Amino acid sequence: MDDHDVVVVGAGLAGLQCARMLSRAGLDVHVVESSDTVGGRIRTDVVDGFLVDRGFQLLNPAYPAVRRTVDVGALRLQAFDAGVAARLDDRLQLLAHPWREPRLAATTARALASRPGEAARVLRWLTPLATGSLGPGRLATRLTGSTDTSLRGSLDRAGVDGTLRVVLERFLTGVLLEDDQSTSAAYALLLVRAFAAGSPGLPGAGMQALPEQLAAELAGRISLGQPVESVSGSVGAHVVSVAGRTVRARRVVLAAAAPEAGALTGEPTAATKGVVTQWFAADEPPTPVRLLHVDARPTPSGPVVNTAVVSAVAPSYAPAGRHLVQASALLPRDRPAPTEHELRLHAGELLGAATSGWRSLARYEVRDALPVQPAPFTERRPVVVDGGLVMCGDHRDTASIQGALVSGARAARAVLAGL
């Protein structure tokens, strides 16, 4: 039997951040992870010389928790342009942040000037963000004067309509992994503010470089390939069954994803949403545009919620002279997943490229990619549950990298307070 001050179950971002803080406080911390590497849902594979992430994810350096805890410079972040390429019935419309992307400012200005009423109503929807210091709780109140509502409800209330509403909804579909706009409007606006403040991008060595950086200072304290079978005990005397052996600890932090955390504890956890991402290799560059592409036509012609030529933004993701395309779609539980053929055709249409020369590299179906974030907005759920067990993960805070890091820090503080 092994004894530790704290055992952290799960080496995702929340678990790693929690373990780092506890280790820095001088505690004997050990992390157990069922997978063969750290990162949880953030993982990068190497396929034929290409870097392919398991699910299309971006790192936003504007997240406060990222600024506090991550050496972003060491990650060699390769940023997307701040905007979106929207496929309309008659053209590809580029819309970008006018100050961050000055070369696209004229194109964006012309598009907005042609729809002044629509633009004014979008600005009305964004009004709650006018106060830069507005926190999540006050933002929910500011949205309606009393309570938060769904994204769809808030857009309706602000009168947002027309093409700009379709563009906004289709962009957020790929971010929130839903097409019914049921997410909290307050949370959606917080994400919009984060996108406006920073330029999300991809690390030079792939997204997995982020958790690997967090894990670097925990050398010797992480056991991989160690599935946890049960957690029992009470405050000060927890017992963890790990791969057939027993580990005893004064505190246990359960940093698993929502479904696994619920199975181990019996505690209610958030429902989750899924995504499927298909990666393609191309010999010819489909487009030099460094933006996410979305289908903003009234009726989309396929399942893709966003696609991009990743190698145009992150050259490190592809061998010299080759090109890498990602296409992502929702992965609902009530209908079959989109096929590789459907994703290929739709992505090619959005990018305006022939796909006959594309070769499929990898496909990832991530069933539990994001916890739901319904209205009313709940920024923080309790991290201490029955028996003194501590839980963390983006399902306890906001459904994001920011939320995972914040939740890990909250869990560490709860352990230190208890000890």
Side-chain angles (χ1 to χ4, degrees):
M1 179 180 289
D2 299 324
D3 292 342
H4 301 282
D5 289 330
V6 184
V7 168
V8 177
V9 179
L13 295 184
L16 293 171
Q17 177 61 12
C18 178
R20 289 203 317 167
M21 291 179 62
L22 295 175
S23 176
R24 291 173 180 176
L27 296 181
D28 173 19
V29 183
H30 198 76
V31 182
V32 290
E33 166 60 46
S34 61
S35 181
D36 60 354
T37 189
V38 300
R41 282 165 284 158
I42 297 180
R43 183 161 179 170
T44 304
D45 294 325
V46 181
V47 181
D48 293 345
F50 292 87
L51 298 180
V52 290
D53 297 324
R54 296 193 180 184
F56 181 61
Q57 304 175 69
L58 298 175
L59 175 61
N60 190 339
Y63 281 145
V66 171
R67 293 200 302 265
R68 288 193 303 266
T69 62
V70 177
D71 183 352
V72 176
L75 294 176
R76 297 181 292 117
L77 204 62
Q78 304 160 106
F80 275 75
D81 286 348
V84 64
R87 177 61 65 184
L88 306 180
D89 284 327
D90 57 346
R91 66 190 180 282
L92 183 67
Q93 179 67 66
L94 306 184
L95 296 166
H97 194 298
W99 294 283
R100 300 240 307 280
E101 306 300 339
R103 62 188 176 81
L104 296 176
T107 299
T108 302
R110 285 195 297 270
L112 298 179
S114 68
R115 298 180 173 87
E118 293 180 28
R121 290 185 283 275
V122 171
L123 288 175
R124 181 189 305 161
W125 179 69
L126 294 171
T127 298
L129 299 181
T131 303
S133 60
L134 205 60
R138 289 180 58 211
L139 178 58
T141 301
R142 180 84 168 266
L143 282 169
T144 64
S146 57
T147 58
D148 187 17
T149 186
S150 68
L151 172 59
R152 179 183 294 277
S154 73
L155 290 171
D156 288 344
R157 182 176 290 108
V160 180
D161 60 1
T163 298
L164 293 185
R165 173 159 180 166
V166 176
V167 172
L168 180 61
E169 287 183 342
R170 299 287 163 76
F171 171 75
L172 290 175
T173 291
V175 176
L176 302 171
L177 301 185
E178 65 183 23
D179 54 9
D180 60 359
Q181 296 85 51
S182 59
T183 285
S184 153
Y187 177 60
L189 279 166
L190 286 174
L191 287 178
V192 170
R193 182 165 68 183
F195 278 112
S199 297
L202 295 166
M207 280 297 294
Q208 194 171 338
L210 172 60
E212 287 179 347
Q213 183 186 108
L214 300 184
E217 68 182 79
L218 296 169
R221 296 175 180 264
I222 302 175
S223 295
L224 302 174
Q226 301 291 304
V228 170
E229 294 144 3
S230 65
V231 178
S232 59
S234 58
V235 176
H238 284 98
V239 177
V240 183
S241 178
V242 185
R245 64 189 178 92
T246 300
V247 179
R248 189 167 55 201
R250 296 167 64 196
R251 289 289 188 278
V252 170
V253 177
L254 189 55
E260 290 78 9
L264 282 170
T265 64
E267 288 284 323
T269 55
T272 57
K273 300 173 285 189
V275 64
V276 54
T277 298
Q278 193 90 37
W279 294 90
F280 299 98
D283 292 329
E284 299 295 329
T287 174
V289 177
R290 295 164 48 89
L291 295 167
L292 283 179
H293 288 63
V294 302
D295 194 333
R297 295 169 291 190
T299 302
S301 63
V304 171
V305 294
N306 60 54
T307 183
V309 183
V310 171
S311 53
V313 176
S316 65
Y317 268 59
R322 306 294 304 281
H323 309 278
L324 181 65
V325 177
Q326 76 82 22
S328 296
L330 302 184
L331 190 60
R333 300 183 187 278
D334 59 350
R335 57 183 185 269
T339 66
E340 182 270 348
H341 181 69
E342 291 172 322
L343 294 171
R344 176 195 296 260
L345 288 183
H346 195 198
E349 187 177 348
L350 298 184
L351 295 171
T355 63
S356 58
W358 292 10
R359 178 170 62 87
S360 180
L361 287 171
R363 175 186 174 93
Y364 299 109
E365 296 185 7
V366 186
R367 293 284 173 184
D368 302 304
L370 277 182
V372 299
Q373 198 87 63
F377 181 62
T378 303
E379 182 187 6
R380 295 180 174 179
R381 297 183 179 185
V383 293
V384 181
V385 298
D386 288 345
L389 187 69
V390 179
M391 296 177 66
C392 63
D394 61 355
H395 55 95
R396 312 306 291 181
D397 278 77
T398 56
S400 61
I401 288 175
Q402 162 77 9
L405 293 172
V406 167
S407 181
R410 289 177 57 218
R413 289 193 291 269
V415 169
L416 292 172
L419 291 178

